[in-house]
């Protein structure tokens, strides 16, 4: 019985449970197995506790008790005797009777003072059959006698009169009606629970210290809310989250269907100027902004961030949880593994890579008949195509379902993919910076029968599957995108896809949990979604469409969703608008453009900035001329934003070495250059309070007229779309395609992929293709060395110059400082 109750508890199509069980089975264990929200009989301890506490809105009263209360009137000052009424029903009766002003007594039929109690009672409620040795004459004439029992609701009780002197009021039919009323009430509650609910968010208090401690010390000093508490505060239902530990939870996509009629909130993108190798704090600004909006301005807001790759975490850059007093917590969980999404991508990517090489090997060593017999084997005396094989037959124009009816030509056509090894574009991946995997040789074992080829590893976040995760809009959409991934060409020059290899369903299975965004929180207890993590220089550099869509529903019409695009506006923001917004259909309300005095000085002609090396004095001393000269890059990035018709607010991320005059100069130039506003921010040292002015500026800008538009028409030729980005965004004079790049463009156009958006793979350290050229380079020709296609993700990606898809470790990686305390199990050294 308990197992069946537990099963029904988890059935989303069941809104209430009524137990018609023999009294012998109505134990506390059984009654409390029912979820309180589905307990239409109101007999669980939770429901009873709420009733006793007076939380009438949150509980259901047992139907039998409701019936008794309906029958008894004017109870004030009267005495009601309960005989043999035990358990939840008896307790609920006593509670409600006393609340109506009645005095209650309870006893057994065998109680020594029963006669005296019966004679003084103004009403008698009995929970079992009256023994023959208790005469009716003990009861005052005219006293109402109400009989209740556990089987009232199943209509098995004998309600006949037991004597001629006192009619026994029975409650069976009325109790059944009351149960039906409870069912209606429960269904109404369920319907109400499916509607959008106002947030009841308890923000966490910050007490910033000076000097500011390390990021991990700050993270550890704050006690995060339990994630199920946070989920309830922002209107998530219990069946919409899957909890991972105490501080992380996956959010199910069913929420989008539940809130489909809820208006979206405001959509804010955080981008930046061309950064130094140290980064300029876009993630920190994103977190500081939402902390300011929610904890200090009392506006609903959600941050949507990318999951960091472990490559940079253990390499040079460190983590990506923000910094100082504007962080996602716990920062070590954010930066390490999280909920395993990148590992799922790695597994799916490498399964497909293994399938490619295995298929080439098997096709090269088997006849058509042997290959066909292994692909479509006899199982338990029967032979049949799998669903994905039937789909391949239809694509080939073979409308047959019986494996025995295919001709020899059809068998060969079906069984052989004829992959050209020299055209394989699908690489294996690992989430580690490992330069020695940039070029490898596979197939050297004797068992691979001489099938040797050169290959490479990419970092996991460069996988097309990561891009698909970031751009997909549903599980069905993800499955279709995974099937469309082109991994190579056949020997006739036609594309070979994951669907052709028969691996689509398996990839979807590996990715079924990764598609759900992960809920976390900021230092001030405001909600954050962490989902997907494509790099912006070699991919499109934005968190997931699904996280944004869910967050936009949750914040409500007047709330804000703040997401971040990688690197400078010329890279991450351009791809956000031209690729992500096309996939999502969402329109941004405002862009926050992050700048630092440090980066502007670099663009003004300051010395090189190198990760791990101390900053030169030019960066730590006031130098207004250097700042003014460097503002050309800020002005260019403002102009790039204006190409898309979206208001821009400049957020100057203030460092302690910045002088007030430098800060004022930047803000003044930004406003003169077309920014809606320019605001200095101190969230790193002060938390959300240090970004309140930024939040106010964003709120005002989001209410401005928005004339959002894409940069180019998808119908344009591939080369023309590349040229538009190069000239209008980067400032190039023109583009130059290598013969290999032009050949690929011709091939993709011939294969029908010419109408896809463009995802430029380019250095993030300059507007040009040359990292050393700072400021606003002009007059350069942008070289396109190669052009590749991510058909599943839905874009063409040209490679500008030489772009590596596998980073390497420096001489002194971050891992030198990372350690684990074996006693406390606490991670040390992350930043």
């Amino acid at each position: 019985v308990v197992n069946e109750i537990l099963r029904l508890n988890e059935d989303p199509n069941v809104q209430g449970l009524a137990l018609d069980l023999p009294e012998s089975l109505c134990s506390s264990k059984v009654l409390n197995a029912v979820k309180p929200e589905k307990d239409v009989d109101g007999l669980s301890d939770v429901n009873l506790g709420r009733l006793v506490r007076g939380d009438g809105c949150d509980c259901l009263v047992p139907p039998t008790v409701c019936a008794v209360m309906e029958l008894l009137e004017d109870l004030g000052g009267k005495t009601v005797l309960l005989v043999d009424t035990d358990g939840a029903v008896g307790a609920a009766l006593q509670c409600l009777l006393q609340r109506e002003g009645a005095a209650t007594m309870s006893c057994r039929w065998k109680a020594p003072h029963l006669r005296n109690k019966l004679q003084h009672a103004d009403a008698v409620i009995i929970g079992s059959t009256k023994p023959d040795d208790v005469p009716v004459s003990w009861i005052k004439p005219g006293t109402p006698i109400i009989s209740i029992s556990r089987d009232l609701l199943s209509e098995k009780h004998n309600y006949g009169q037991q004597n001629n002197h006192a009619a026994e009021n029975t409650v069976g039919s009325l109790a059944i009606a009351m149960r039906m009323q409870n069912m209606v009430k429960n269904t109404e509650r369920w319907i109400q629970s499916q509607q959008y609910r106002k947030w009841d968010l308890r923000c966490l208090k910050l007490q910033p210290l000076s000097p500011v401690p390390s990021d991990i010390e700050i993270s550890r000093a704050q006690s995060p809310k339990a994630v199920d508490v946070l989920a309830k505060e922002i209107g998530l239902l219990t069946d919409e989250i899957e909890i991972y530990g105490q501080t992380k939870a996956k959010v199910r996509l069913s929420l989008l269907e539940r809130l489909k009629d809820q208006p979206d909130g405001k959509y804010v993108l955080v981008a930046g100027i061309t950064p130094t190798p140290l980064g300029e704090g876009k993630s920190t600004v994103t977190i500081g902004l939402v902390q300011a909006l929610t904890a200090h301005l009392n506006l609903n807001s959600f941050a949507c961030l990318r999951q960091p790759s472990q490559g940079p975490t253990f390499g040079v850059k460190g983590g990506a949880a923000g910094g100082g007093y504007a962080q996602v917590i716990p920062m070590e969980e954010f930066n390490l593994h999280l909920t395993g999404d990148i590992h799922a991508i790695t597994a799916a990517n490498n399964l497909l890579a293994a399938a490619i090489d295995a298929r080439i090997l098997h096709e090269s060593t088997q006849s058509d008949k042997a290959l066909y017999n292994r692909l479509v084997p006899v199982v338990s005396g029967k032979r049949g195509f799998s669903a994905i094989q039937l789909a391949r037959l239809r694509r080939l124009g073979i409308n047959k379902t019986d494996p025995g009816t295919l001709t020899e030509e059809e068998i060969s056509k079906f069984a052989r993919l004829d992959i050209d090894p020299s055209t394989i574009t699908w690489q294996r991946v690992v989430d580690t910076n490992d330069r020695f995997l940039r070029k490898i040789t596979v197939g050297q074992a004797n068992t691979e029968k001489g099938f040797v080829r050169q290959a490479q590893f990419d970092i996991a976040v460069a996988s097309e599957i990561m891009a698909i995760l970031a751009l997909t809009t549903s599980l069905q959409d993800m499955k279709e995108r995974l099937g469309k991934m082109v991994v190579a060409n056949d020997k006739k020059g036609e594309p070979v896809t994951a669907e052709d290899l028969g691996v689509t369903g398996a990839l979807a299975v590996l990715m079924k949990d990764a598609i759900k965004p992960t809920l976390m929180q900021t230092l001030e207890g405001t909600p954050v979604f962490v989902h997907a993590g494509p790099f912006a220089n070699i991919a499109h550099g934005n968190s997931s469409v699904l996280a944004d869509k869910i967050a936009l529903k949750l914040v409500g019409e007047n709330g804000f969703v703040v997401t971040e695009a990688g690197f400078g506006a010329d890279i991450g923001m351009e791809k956000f608008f031209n690729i992500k917004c096309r996939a999502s259909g969402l329109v941004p309300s405002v862009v926050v453009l992050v700048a630092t005095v440090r980066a502007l000085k670099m663009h003004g002609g300051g010395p090189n900035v190198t990760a791990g090396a101390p900053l030169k004095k030019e960066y730590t001393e006031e130098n207004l001329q250097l700042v003014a000269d460097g503002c050309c890059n800020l002005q260019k990035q403002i102009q790039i934003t204006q190409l898309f018709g979206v208001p821009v607010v400049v957020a100057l991320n203030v460092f302690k070495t910045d002088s007030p005059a430098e800060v004022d100069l930047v803000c003044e130039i930004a406003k003169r250059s077309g920014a809606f506003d320019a605001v200095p921010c101190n969230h790193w040292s002060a938390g959300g309070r240090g970004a309140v002015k930024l939040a106010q500026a964003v709120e005002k800008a989001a209410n401005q007229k928005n004339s959002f538009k894409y940069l180019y028409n998808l119908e344009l030729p591939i080369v023309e779309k590349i040229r538009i980005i190069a000239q209008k965004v980067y400032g190039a004079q023109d583009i130059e395609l290598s013969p290999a790049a032009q050949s690929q463009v011709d091939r993709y156009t011939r294969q029908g992929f010419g109408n896809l958006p463009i995802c430029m793979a380019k250095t993030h350290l300059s507007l040009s293709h040359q990292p050393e050229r700072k400021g606003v380079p002009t007059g350069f020709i942008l070289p396109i060395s190669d052009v590749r296609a991510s058909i599943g993700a839905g874009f063409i990606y040209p490679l500008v110059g030489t772009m590596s898809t596998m980073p390497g470790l420096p001489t002194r990686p971050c891992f030198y400082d990372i350690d684990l305390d074996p006693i406390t199990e606490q991670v040390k050294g992350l930043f």
Side-chain angles (χ1 to χ4, degrees):
V1 171
V2 170
N3 286 340
E4 180 63 11
I5 290 172
L6 295 176
R7 185 186 69 80
L8 293 171
N9 278 343
E10 303 307 317
D11 188 337
N13 297 313
V14 175
Q15 274 73 57
L17 286 177
L19 302 182
D20 280 334
L21 299 171
E23 187 169 350
S24 59
L25 288 179
C26 289
S27 64
S28 176
K29 179 181 179 181
V30 171
L31 297 179
N32 285 308
V34 181
K35 268 188 177 179
E37 58 267 31
K38 294 190 177 186
D39 180 18
V40 296
D41 288 332
L43 296 174
S44 68
D45 288 351
V46 172
N47 253 315
L48 182 60
R50 288 171 179 167
L51 177 65
V52 171
R53 198 170 57 200
D55 296 341
C57 295
D58 290 332
C59 71
L60 290 174
V61 180
T64 303
V65 176
C66 286
V68 171
M69 298 305 295
E70 283 288 320
L71 290 171
L72 294 176
E73 297 177 348
D74 301 324
L75 289 168
K78 293 184 178 179
T79 300
V80 179
L81 176 63
L82 288 77
V83 185
D84 264 6
T85 55
D86 297 321
V89 171
L93 268 172
Q94 291 207 45
C95 175
L96 291 185
L97 287 167
Q98 290 170 9
R99 202 168 287 164
E100 292 295 319
T104 60
M105 303 182 293
S106 61
C107 66
R108 302 284 186 189
W109 286 116
K110 300 296 185 182
H113 303 296
L114 175 62
R115 179 174 184 175
N116 184 52
K117 290 180 178 180
L118 286 170
Q119 289 177 345
H120 286 88
D122 298 307
V124 178
I125 301 170
I126 60 176
S128 61
T129 305
K130 178 181 74 64
D132 292 337
D133 59 352
V134 177
V136 174
S137 59
W138 286 6
I139 303 171
K140 286 191 302 186
T143 299
I145 304 171
I146 301 175
S147 176
I148 63 173
S149 68
R150 288 193 186 278
D151 53 10
L152 278 175
L153 294 170
S154 53
E155 298 184 311
K156 296 174 184 175
H157 190 71
N158 177 12
Y159 301 121
Q161 292 186 350
Q162 293 189 350
N163 56 77
N164 297 323
H165 305 285
E168 184 181 305
N169 292 308
T170 58
V171 296
S173 299
L174 188 53
I176 292 170
M178 293 300 178
R179 175 189 266 177
M180 293 175 66
Q181 191 176 70
N182 274 2
M183 290 179 177
V184 171
K185 186 177 178 182
N186 219 45
T187 304
E188 288 174 343
R189 279 185 184 173
W190 179 82
I191 293 171
Q192 185 62 36
S193 75
Q194 301 304 298
Q195 308 305 308
Y196 176 78
R197 285 187 283 181
K198 287 185 66 177
W199 286 18
D200 184 22
L201 192 69
R202 176 184 63 86
C203 292
L204 303 177
K205 298 296 182 185
L206 271 188
Q207 294 180 324
L209 301 177
S210 182
V212 177
S214 70
D215 290 352
I216 199 162
E217 287 174 319
I218 293 171
S219 176
R220 290 257 170 78
Q222 184 64 288
S223 297
K225 293 178 282 191
V227 72
D228 58 330
V229 172
L230 173 64
K232 186 176 181 181
E233 289 177 344
I234 61 174
L236 287 165
L237 307 181
T238 53
D239 60 0
E240 289 174 340
I241 61 170
E242 299 168 4
I243 294 175
Y244 284 64
Q246 296 296 313
T247 55
K248 306 184 297 292
K250 286 285 193 182
V251 175
R252 293 176 179 163
L253 307 189
S254 57
L255 178 143
L256 284 171
E257 176 63 24
R258 176 170 71 86
L259 297 182
K260 62 183 178 182
D261 298 324
Q262 167 68 18
D264 288 344
K266 305 289 195 308
Y267 197 24
V268 180
L269 175 69
V270 176
I273 65 170
T274 304
T276 69
L278 306 177
E280 309 317 307
K282 290 188 306 300
S283 298
T284 310
V285 169
T286 301
I287 301 304
L289 176 55
V290 293
Q291 289 180 180
L293 285 165
T294 300
H296 300 276
L297 298 184
N298 201 30
L299 294 167
N300 291 355
S301 73
F302 232 112
C304 291
L305 298 178
R306 290 175 293 165
Q307 178 184 353
S309 162
Q310 288 179 183
T313 299
F314 292 101
V316 175
K317 185 174 176 288
Y325 286 100
Q327 289 189 57
V328 180
I329 57 171
M331 67 91 79
E332 61 267 44
E333 293 188 26
F334 177 93
N335 286 311
L336 302 173
H337 304 298
L338 197 65
T339 47
D341 294 356
I342 292 179
H343 300 315
I345 289 164
T346 302
N349 184 101
N350 293 345
L351 175 63
L352 180 53
I356 296 166
D357 287 327
R359 187 60 175 262
I360 295 172
L361 172 68
H362 294 312
E363 286 189 22
S364 68
T365 57
Q366 298 178 48
S367 66
D368 289 352
K369 185 177 180 180
L371 193 61
Y372 184 65
N373 288 339
R374 285 181 171 86
L375 287 170
V376 192
V378 176
V379 180
S380 301
K382 294 183 179 180
R383 193 177 191 188
F385 294 113
S386 67
I388 201 165
Q389 289 176 327
L390 288 170
R392 172 164 166 75
L393 286 168
R394 288 192 294 271
R395 287 197 306 278
L396 293 171
I398 303 171
N399 296 312
K400 296 179 180 179
T401 57
D402 182 354
T405 61
L406 268 66
T407 65
E408 287 187 5
E409 182 183 354
E410 289 170 336
I411 286 173
S412 179
K413 197 174 179 182
F414 168 79
R416 292 204 176 273
L417 298 180
D418 277 331
I419 295 171
D420 180 351
S422 68
T423 67
I424 294 173
T425 55
W426 195 262
Q427 311 298 346
R428 289 165 173 83
V429 300
V430 62
D431 196 34
T432 304
N433 289 3
D434 192 343
R435 64 178 68 247
F436 284 89
L437 294 178
R438 289 171 178 168
K439 184 169 283 190
I440 60 170
T441 303
V442 297
Q444 295 194 71
N446 292 334
T447 49
E448 275 50 74
K449 302 177 182 177
F451 172 58
V452 178
R453 69 179 182 91
Q454 277 201 339
Q456 69 184 60
F457 269 78
D458 294 338
I459 194 159
V461 293
S463 170
E464 184 177 350
I465 297 177
M466 174 61 88
I468 287 173
L469 178 67
L471 292 170
T472 193
T473 55
S474 69
L475 198 54
Q476 180 61 35
D477 177 59
M478 182 179 74
K479 189 175 176 183
E480 290 172 5
R481 286 174 179 267
L482 291 170
K484 290 177 184 176
M485 293 187 301
V486 174
V487 300
N489 293 322
D490 64 20
K491 291 171 184 175
K492 295 178 182 177
E494 294 303 313
V496 177
T497 66
E499 187 81 2
D500 293 325
L501 284 156
V503 75
T504 307
L507 299 181
V509 167
L510 287 170
M511 293 294 295
K512 73 179 181 65
D513 292 318
I515 196 174
K516 303 164 192 170
T518 299
L519 176 66
M520 294 187 75
Q521 64 194 282
T522 69
L523 276 167
E524 297 192 51
T526 66
V528 178
F529 273 142
V530 188
H531 201 213
F535 283 170
N537 53 353
I538 55 178
H540 72 284
N542 291 273
S543 63
S544 78
V545 166
L546 280 169
D548 291 356
K549 285 195 164 192
I550 292 172
L552 284 165
K553 295 298 182 187
L554 286 171
V555 296
E557 192 170 6
N558 298 315
F560 289 81
V561 171
V562 184
T563 190
E564 172 238 352
F567 297 127
D570 57 303
I571 297 186
M573 185 192 73
E574 181 270 314
K575 295 170 183 176
F576 173 87
F577 288 141
N578 285 319
I579 298 175
K580 185 176 180 180
C581 288
R582 276 192 165 105
S584 68
L586 299 173
V587 176
S589 308
V590 59
V591 169
V592 174
L593 193 63
V594 179
T596 62
V597 168
R598 176 181 69 194
L600 293 172
K601 286 181 175 179
M602 178 191 72
H603 289 296
N608 287 338
V609 176
T610 306
L615 289 171
K616 301 287 197 306
K617 65 180 180 61
E618 287 86 349
Y619 296 105
T620 57
E621 297 175 1
E622 184 179 286
N623 191 325
L624 295 176
Q625 188 59 52
L626 213 51
V627 172
D629 292 344
C631 278
C632 61
N633 188 272
L634 173 61
Q635 292 169 308
K636 173 64 175 174
Q637 302 286 9
I638 291 172
Q639 291 166 13
I640 294 169
T641 308
Q642 291 171 333
L643 290 173
F644 298 92
V646 181
V648 56
V649 173
V650 171
L652 184 61
N653 196 10
V654 177
F655 288 43
K656 62 183 179 181
T657 53
D658 300 343
S659 75
E662 289 174 330
V663 170
D664 290 344
L665 177 62
V666 174
C667 292
E668 179 189 337
I669 292 174
K671 291 175 189 175
R672 281 206 314 261
S673 304
F676 175 82
D677 203 349
V679 185
C681 306
N682 296 286
H683 45 273
W684 182 80
S685 58
R689 192 174 302 282
V692 167
K693 288 184 179 178
L694 173 63
Q696 291 169 335
V698 167
E699 185 182 10
K700 289 177 185 174
N703 292 318
Q704 297 298 301
K705 184 180 177 182
N706 189 324
S707 53
F708 173 68
K709 56 185 178 293
Y710 299 118
L711 185 64
Y712 52 79
N713 191 317
L714 290 180
E715 307 304 314
L716 291 171
I718 292 173
V719 172
E720 188 57 31
K721 287 182 282 194
I722 297 172
R723 182 174 285 112
I724 288 172
I725 295 171
Q727 292 178 335
K728 291 191 175 182
V729 177
Y730 306 151
Q733 181 179 325
D734 204 353
I735 61 172
E736 183 178 45
L737 274 71
S738 70
Q742 185 62 60
S743 173
Q744 286 291 73
V745 167
D746 295 340
R747 172 177 289 165
Y748 293 140
T749 303
R750 186 178 68 252
Q751 292 175 341
F753 304 139
N755 292 341
L756 294 175
I758 303 299
C759 181
M760 302 289 280
K762 182 187 81 72
T763 178
H764 60 288
L765 297 173
S766 172
L767 284 162
S768 74
H769 58 288
Q770 298 166 298
E772 68 278 4
R773 295 189 69 178
K774 306 301 181 184
V776 182
T778 57
F780 60 93
I781 304 297
L782 193 75
I784 309 299
S785 59
D786 197 4
V787 177
R788 299 175 188 171
S790 292
I791 304 305
F795 52 71
I796 302 292
Y797 67 102
L799 274 69
V800 179
T802 55
M803 282 298 301
S804 174
T805 50
M806 170 57 81
L809 289 173
T811 304
R812 193 187 191 283
C814 297
F815 62 63
Y816 275 94
D817 301 310
I818 296 172
D819 200 0
L820 181 70
D821 187 318
I823 306 300
T824 64
E825 298 185 13
Q826 287 191 334
V827 177
K828 301 176 182 178
L830 275 181
F831 68 96

